[in-house]
Amino acid sequence: QVQLVESGGGLVQPGGSLRLSCAASRIIFSRAAMGWYRQAPGKQRELVATITSGGSTNYADSVKGRFTISRDNAKNTVYLQMNSLKPDDTAVYYCHVYPPFGSWGQGTQVTVSS
């Protein structure tokens, strides 16, 4: 089944930026729609952004205009550029195929705090 390794999280001040990366293996990456998801403490996991195999993107209203999802098929990697970060963006961020199936990676923690 698909293997996913997320990286790039950290502690950032409100208004700051981070770029998350996710390396995928055991899938035909170029044919897969991919998504970034997040789970804040005490909340359900939610979909943040998706990108199709053709590069079309979609975003949750809460991140539209601030986050950008992209992919590099040569590297089997999907990215999430996060700008103008807010404390409400604090969560563990995961990537997965879209729609997701199978197990999840370990995620990467993003903490937005002054």
Side-chain angles (χ1 to χ4, degrees):
Q1 62 179 358
V2 60
Q3 288 191 332
L4 304 151
V5 179
E6 301 93 342
S7 62
L11 173 63
V12 63
Q13 292 186 341
S17 298
L18 283 174
R19 188 193 194 205
L20 307 183
S21 300
C22 171
S25 58
R26 298 188 178 182
I27 61 170
I28 304 176
F29 182 81
S30 60
R31 298 182 184 177
M34 299 295 296
W36 279 97
Y37 308 77
R38 68 186 181 187
Q39 187 166 20
K43 296 186 177 181
Q44 289 189 333
R45 188 174 289 158
E46 64 174 349
L47 178 64
V48 174
T50 61
I51 184 166
T52 67
S53 58
S56 296
T57 58
N58 203 6
Y59 299 91
D61 287 344
S62 59
V63 306
K64 202 170 293 184
R66 301 188 296 122
F67 290 10
T68 302
I69 188 172
S70 61
R71 64 191 298 158
D72 185 337
N73 289 339
K75 296 181 178 180
N76 282 13
T77 300
V78 60
Y79 303 97
L80 186 68
Q81 177 67 43
M82 305 186 296
N83 299 328
S84 302
L85 282 161
K86 305 175 181 179
D88 283 350
D89 296 318
T90 295
V92 179
Y93 283 71
Y94 303 87
C95 74
H96 213 310
V97 296
Y98 178 77
F101 66 90
S103 60
W104 294 76
Q106 82 287 353
T108 186
Q109 176 70 49
V110 172
T111 303
V112 185
S113 175
S114 55

